[in-house]
Amino acid sequence: MSYRRLAASAAILAAGISFLPSTAQADPATGGGQGLTTPDLVPADAMEKTKFSSPASESTLETPQAAESSLGAPQSTAPGDAAATTAEVAAVDFQVGVDAYTTSAHGIMIDTWIENLATSASVTVAWGDGATTNASYDGSGQPVSSEHTYAELGTYTVKVTVTDSATSTAVTNEVQITTEGSDYTPYGPTRLLDTRNGTGAPKLKIAKYTSAKVKIAGNGGIPAGVTAVVLNVTVTNTTSGGHVTAYADGDDRPTTSNVNFAPGQTVPNLVIVPVGANGYVNLYNGGWESVDLIADVTGYFTQSASSGYTPLAPERFVDTRNGTGTAQGQVAGYGSFNVQIAGKGKVPAAGVKAVALNVTVTNPKSDGHLTVYPSGQSAPTASNVNFTAGQTIANSVIVPVGPDGKIVVRNGGWNPADVIVDVVGYYSPTSQGAYLPFQPERLLDTRDAANWGEGPLSGRGYIPLPLSPGEPGITGFVLNSTVTNPKDNGFLAVSPDPNTMDDYLDDTATWPAAPTSSTLNWTVGKTVPNLVQASTGATGIVDFWNQSDGDADLIVDVFGMYQDN
């Protein structure tokens, strides 16, 4: 598996270009100038192509009769033709080599190299899924390129046939390829790691600047060959500040972070992390003191057809404060409620295997945790959101959907709490969004004056991130957003931008409607991270809103993208 890389630069689009629409500048409540950050993302160039090859020495000569048959010409059946056939085969000395490259989640490009043939020829590529393409060779020795997009991910045997136009003799070669994208399979939720009791690792806190090594492939029912895994990572029993970084075992540790914590905090965050070739991931403790780590798996990605992803603009399905989607009133301690997912909002009524959520707890009367799991099952020991009395905190959740199209939310605290559930996407066999993991990269850090000259994100303002303008096949990104140094209580909202890149360049962009859904919630002075599965909408631009009256610094890291066929 090769991971894509982004060379990210958070920079002002051009000197003298104001990002803020003129309609917004007249309203002081909408915040100050934010600038336009432009990550250097060219998907076709950013991905490291995986190469598959079959050398010319592996090519096979078909008999003239077979070649004529494939061209629709009549076959010779005269007994005396056997000696002639042998002579013709011996006389043919051209060969065919094949190089194949992944070009996208579902796409493959074939270069056909033809050796020792100075005449024209036809090139037929049978892609292994029933599709064929035809091209012409001019005798120049240059490769003939052919491209194809597969409807389903998987491994295919591609057969290339080159037929000499002068002799009608055909030479073939085959290469086995695997599409680059990965589909999702729900799993669990199941606890893979808990250093407090020795689950998945010794019963021992993780020392500073060291890692817990978590087995993924081959653990329980998780197969070999997984490319990425969805984990809910929780840090607890902290005595200093720090962060946790999740990455594939065998890779260099990235400079990005997944979970940020302060002394005494218990902090969860969802991560979608590549799995090393040996089937392990690392959870690195970047704090000054030892910590306990917990990891719960909710699904994994493989390079075979399963469930693709369809991102949605965030939509509120549940709010116990006002009775949206469930009974009005706080969820009792150790109480639970069902949430209808299938057939609600923009989620289809059938075929949904898992749903991507942002779950928020607010006004809790005691410490506790929330567990989200598919209906029809007993509550697992896994947790999704950990909270303290009076805290408002959110976390991303990917959870399998029960056979009745529902999920269950359980309050694991002793006392009541309010719960909010926003849906941001779903996984189904009919969804074509395949996941392409990147090596993690930082796209934006408003604290970094060298690449960002506008300062903190102003209260009630927003920053648009043009992640894939002009790339309609890219439907969403997996990001980690972190808010730090906030001057007021508030929340971060993330949503697709209705404006195009040209609108911003021409200074004709209009101020988007501020979303009401929350991605992460913070209190004054706290540092809070959360995973974001962001839809790119119709324009490829994603907005990050500061829904408070005070400034806050924003950090955005990218971990991968979804691309359809």
Side-chain angles (χ1 to χ4, degrees):
M1 178 67 184
S2 66
Y3 304 122
R4 291 108 179 110
R5 293 184 179 272
L6 292 182
S9 62
I12 305 303
L13 180 64
I17 295 179
S18 171
F19 150 61
L20 287 177
S22 58
T23 55
Q25 293 174 351
D27 184 358
T30 56
Q34 320 301 355
L36 176 62
T37 178
T38 55
D40 182 17
L41 172 57
V42 181
D45 298 335
M47 69 177 292
E48 295 178 358
K49 300 178 177 68
T50 299
K51 182 180 179 181
F52 310 89
S53 294
S54 182
S57 59
E58 297 296 319
S59 58
T60 301
L61 175 64
E62 290 190 355
T63 64
Q65 287 94 335
E68 291 172 358
S69 177
S70 67
L71 294 173
Q75 297 186 54
S76 172
T77 57
D81 284 351
T85 298
T86 302
E88 288 183 55
V89 169
V92 175
D93 60 0
F94 77 89
Q95 294 181 311
V96 176
V98 179
D99 289 330
Y101 305 88
T102 55
T103 58
S104 64
H106 294 80
I108 293 288
M109 182 180 74
I110 293 282
D111 280 345
T112 300
W113 297 86
I114 304 171
E115 299 180 2
N116 302 320
L117 183 63
T119 59
S120 63
S122 64
V123 178
T124 300
V125 181
W127 295 97
D129 62 348
T132 60
T133 56
N134 296 292
S136 297
Y137 172 67
D138 61 5
S140 66
Q142 295 300 308
V144 177
S145 296
S146 308
E147 293 189 65
H148 182 61
T149 300
Y150 289 94
E152 295 288 348
L153 302 180
T155 297
Y156 299 89
T157 298
V158 180
K159 181 178 181 180
V160 179
T161 302
V162 176
T163 305
D164 180 3
S165 58
T167 65
S168 297
T169 302
V171 174
T172 68
N173 202 341
E174 294 183 352
V175 62
Q176 189 174 76
I177 63 93
T178 299
T179 49
E180 196 71 36
S182 295
D183 270 1
Y184 181 73
T185 299
Y187 185 87
T190 302
R191 183 145 294 172
L192 298 185
L193 174 73
D194 191 337
T195 60
R196 301 170 303 176
N197 59 23
T199 299
K203 185 181 177 181
L204 185 68
K205 295 176 79 172
I206 305 302
K208 64 178 181 180
Y209 312 136
T210 62
S211 298
K213 192 173 178 179
V214 185
K215 183 179 181 180
I216 304 299
N219 194 342
I222 302 175
V226 289
T227 56
V229 64
V230 179
L231 298 174
N232 197 67
V233 177
T234 303
V235 59
T236 190
N237 298 325
T238 58
T239 55
S240 71
H243 67 273
V244 174
T245 298
Y247 63 102
D249 191 50
D251 283 358
D252 294 334
R253 175 168 50 86
T255 58
T256 55
S257 62
N258 297 92
V259 186
N260 298 72
F261 56 88
Q265 279 190 319
T266 295
V267 183
N269 198 17
L270 195 72
V271 302
I272 300 178
V273 57
V275 177
N278 63 356
Y280 285 82
V281 301
N282 291 325
L283 302 179
Y284 172 79
N285 173 19
W288 301 300
E289 302 289 345
S290 60
V291 299
D292 277 311
L293 290 176
I294 305 163
D296 301 317
V297 61
T298 63
Y300 56 85
F301 291 88
T302 58
Q303 288 177 286
S304 56
S306 184
S307 289
Y309 183 62
T310 298
L312 301 172
E315 183 177 357
R316 182 144 296 172
F317 273 36
V318 172
D319 191 338
T320 61
R321 299 171 302 178
N322 57 26
T324 298
T326 190
Q328 184 174 0
Q330 291 194 312
V331 183
Y334 305 120
S336 61
F337 63 92
N338 290 348
V339 182
Q340 182 67 46
I341 298 297
K344 186 174 180 180
K346 293 184 179 180
V347 180
V352 177
K353 301 300 183 181
V355 62
L357 312 168
N358 206 66
V359 178
T360 305
V361 62
T362 189
N363 306 317
K365 305 305 181 187
S366 67
D367 296 357
H369 66 273
L370 296 181
T371 298
V372 186
Y373 58 99
S375 62
Q377 297 184 12
S378 300
T381 57
S383 62
N384 297 97
V385 184
N386 297 71
F387 53 85
T388 57
Q391 185 182 26
T392 297
I393 186 170
N395 196 21
S396 289
V397 175
I398 301 175
V399 60
V401 175
D404 59 357
K406 297 179 181 179
I407 62 171
V408 181
V409 180
R410 181 178 184 270
N411 175 13
W414 302 296
N415 288 302
D418 279 309
V419 177
I420 303 163
V421 178
D422 297 317
V423 172
V424 300
Y426 61 89
Y427 295 87
S428 74
T430 58
S431 299
Q432 294 299 324
Y435 184 57
L436 296 168
F438 298 141
Q439 294 284 10
E441 294 282 353
R442 183 142 292 172
L443 298 183
L444 172 68
D445 188 342
T446 61
R447 305 167 302 176
D448 187 355
N451 290 316
W452 175 260
E454 300 298 308
L457 173 55
S458 301
R460 307 301 169 186
Y462 75 102
I463 293 176
L465 219 55
L467 295 178
S468 57
E471 296 282 351
I474 298 172
T475 58
F477 283 85
V478 174
L479 310 165
N480 203 70
S481 59
T482 303
V483 168
T484 191
N485 307 318
K487 305 306 181 185
D488 188 24
N489 298 340
F491 66 91
L492 182 76
V494 181
S495 62
D497 193 318
N499 297 292
T500 66
M501 198 66 182
D502 286 341
D503 292 333
Y504 284 111
L505 292 171
D506 298 339
D507 200 26
T508 58
T510 58
W511 193 263
T516 57
S517 58
S518 63
T519 297
L520 62 85
N521 299 69
W522 67 79
T523 55
V524 175
K526 299 295 185 181
T527 297
V528 183
N530 201 8
L531 184 87
V532 183
Q533 297 233 79
S535 169
T536 55
T539 66
I541 301 174
V542 179
D543 294 337
F544 292 78
W545 290 82
N546 175 0
Q547 295 293 58
S548 77
D549 291 324
D551 292 352
D553 279 310
L554 174 65
I555 304 160
V556 180
D557 301 319
V558 64
F559 295 91
M561 71 182 183
Y562 291 100
Q563 187 177 40
D564 65 22
N565 60 8

